[in-house]
Amino acid sequence: RNKKIYFAVIAVLALAPSLVLGATFRTGQNYYLDSGATINDNLYAAGGMVGILGTVNGDVITAGGSISISGNVAGDVTAAGGNLNITSNVAGDLRVAGGNIFVSNSVGGDLLVAGGQISVLPGTSVGKDASIAGGVVYIDGTINGNLSVAAEEIKLGPSAVISGDFDYYSKKQATLENGASVS
């Protein structure tokens, strides 16, 4: 299994050689960047469980069964896995694909998400646009640009604020809870 993860990371890096300059690579069954630790370049991490509690002063590219990112990221985050919990401040774009996805805190750029169950929690702020595709999508944060959603079920919670357009595709009507705001 570790060999498969290792070869997957190598394949991605071979396709994007310009991204590997000044990078830190970590693989294994489990990988954790401890709270208080800092990586001053891009971080590529893969494993069954990946936990990034420290600061990354670059981009984070990660894949794993369960991923938790709570440390600050100065660049973009690209993550794929079964369960993803992104509670960090991401200065750039956040690109996530997985089964169950929870996003909270701040995304400075665009938010791109594909998954089964997707939740953008209260207190979350997306600096630009959000594009989301999934089974069940719950948005209860602030999107400072446009929101595009394709899903089986779409709900905007009471704290949802969409500053731009809200376009969606679903067989069901989107639900806007009391307090949700769409410009």
Side-chain angles (χ1 to χ4, degrees):
R1 182 175 179 184
N2 286 341
K3 287 182 182 180
K4 288 180 184 178
I5 293 170
Y6 175 77
F7 286 119
V9 170
I10 295 301
V12 168
L13 297 178
L15 296 174
S18 63
L19 297 175
V20 300
L21 299 175
T24 300
F25 300 92
R26 299 289 185 258
T27 62
Q29 182 61 31
N30 299 313
Y31 169 71
Y32 295 98
L33 176 64
D34 293 328
S35 178
T38 299
I39 292 181
N40 288 313
D41 53 21
N42 296 336
L43 173 62
Y44 294 81
M49 296 181 73
V50 176
I52 300 172
L53 289 71
T55 299
V56 178
N57 291 321
D59 297 336
V60 172
I61 296 88
T62 185
S66 181
I67 298 170
S68 178
I69 303 175
S70 60
N72 291 331
V73 178
D76 298 335
V77 171
T78 302
N83 295 303
L84 296 106
N85 191 13
I86 314 296
T87 61
S88 63
N89 288 315
V90 178
D93 298 333
L94 176 59
R95 298 175 206 91
V96 184
N100 298 307
I101 300 167
F102 296 92
V103 177
S104 65
N105 227 328
S106 172
V107 177
D110 293 325
L111 174 65
L112 301 150
V113 183
Q117 293 190 344
I118 300 163
S119 297
V120 177
L121 301 174
T124 301
S125 176
V126 176
K128 295 183 180 177
D129 298 329
S131 297
I132 300 172
V136 177
V137 174
Y138 180 70
I139 307 290
D140 202 18
T142 300
I143 310 295
N144 289 303
N146 298 321
L147 172 62
S148 299
V149 180
E152 292 178 28
E153 184 178 330
I154 303 164
K155 184 184 283 186
L156 299 185
S159 300
V161 176
I162 313 304
S163 296
D165 295 335
F166 173 39
D167 296 312
Y168 72 92
Y169 172 79
S170 180
K171 292 180 180 179
K172 298 179 182 179
Q173 175 107 12
T175 303
L176 279 72
E177 292 185 1
N178 241 358
S181 169
V182 178
S183 297

